Structures are given as structure tokens and as C-alpha cells.
């Protein structure tokens, strides 16, 4: 894990799979990079809003298309399951 700025972190996909969203604060942004290439694959915007957990207001953006991914799945255009698990832990 690399802390880029006060609220900006850079983690590999393997690190995200081992961590949980509650390790961070509301308002933090996480760049999820590929462990081999270092390319940014996803951008996770952690937000609790008025809720106790990150599950409802957190948004995930595709690093290539810059489109928000809302539905968990294993195909292109879906939020990866490991990120969905990270958010809900």
C-alpha cells in the first residue's frame, strides 16, 4: 500500500483482496492497480454518507473507460467480486 496523498491510496489488486474498507476513512480514494503491470484498473471512492458502512454510497470506476460499475460480476463492465467483498467487509 502506498499513501499518495492525505486521502489517496494506491493498492494492488492482491492487497485489496486482503484488506477491508473499514481500514480507511470516508472520503478516501483508492487506486487499484494490477500487481504485475502497475496499471490502474479501478478507482474506489469510499463514502459512508449518513450510513454506518461503506456498502451503499461507495462508487467504483473502471480505470480504462472511467464509467462507474454498479453491479458485481466477473465480466467486463461489472464490478469485480474482490472489490465488492472489500467494500462490504
Amino acid at each position: 500500500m502506498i499513501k499518495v496523498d492525505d486521502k489517496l491510496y494506491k493498492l494492488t489488486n492482491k492487497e485489496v483482496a486482503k484488506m477491508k474498507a473499514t481500514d480507511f476513512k470516508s472520503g478516501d480514494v483508492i487506486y487499484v492497480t494490477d500487481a504485475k503491470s502497475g496499471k490502474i484498473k479501478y478507482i474506489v471512492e469510499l463514502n459512508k454518507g449518513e450510513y454506518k458502512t461503506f456498502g451503499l454510497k461507495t462508487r467504483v470506476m473502471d480505470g480504462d473507460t472511467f464509467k462507474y460499475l454498479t453491479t458485481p460480476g466477473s465480466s467486463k463492465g461489472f464490478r469485480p467480486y474482490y472489490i465488492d467483498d472489500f467494500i462490504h467487509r
Side-chain angles (χ1 to χ4, degrees):
M1 176 172 75
I2 299 171
K3 186 173 183 175
V4 178
D5 200 355
D6 188 36
K7 292 192 166 274
L8 181 62
Y9 297 87
K10 190 174 180 183
L11 281 80
T12 65
N13 50 357
K14 292 179 181 181
E15 290 173 323
V16 170
K18 295 177 184 176
M19 298 183 82
K20 53 189 174 202
T22 55
D23 294 335
F24 301 92
K25 298 176 193 141
S26 187
D28 287 350
V29 176
I30 299 170
Y31 289 164
V32 180
T33 62
D34 183 60
K36 293 181 182 178
S37 69
K39 180 182 173 190
I40 296 174
K41 296 190 64 133
Y42 303 100
I43 300 165
V44 180
E45 300 168 354
L46 294 171
N47 187 3
K48 286 185 183 179
E50 62 275 4
Y51 303 103
K52 291 182 181 182
T53 63
F54 288 106
L56 295 172
K57 300 216 38 141
T58 294
R59 301 188 313 171
V60 179
M61 182 188 297
D62 185 293
D64 293 329
T65 64
F66 299 106
K67 292 184 179 178
Y68 286 103
L69 310 173
T70 56
T71 308
S74 57
S75 301
K76 184 146 180 76
F78 289 90
R79 180 166 53 188
Y81 287 119
Y82 72 91
I83 291 180
D84 199 57
D85 290 342
F86 165 79
I87 293 168
H88 290 88
R89 271 188 245 143

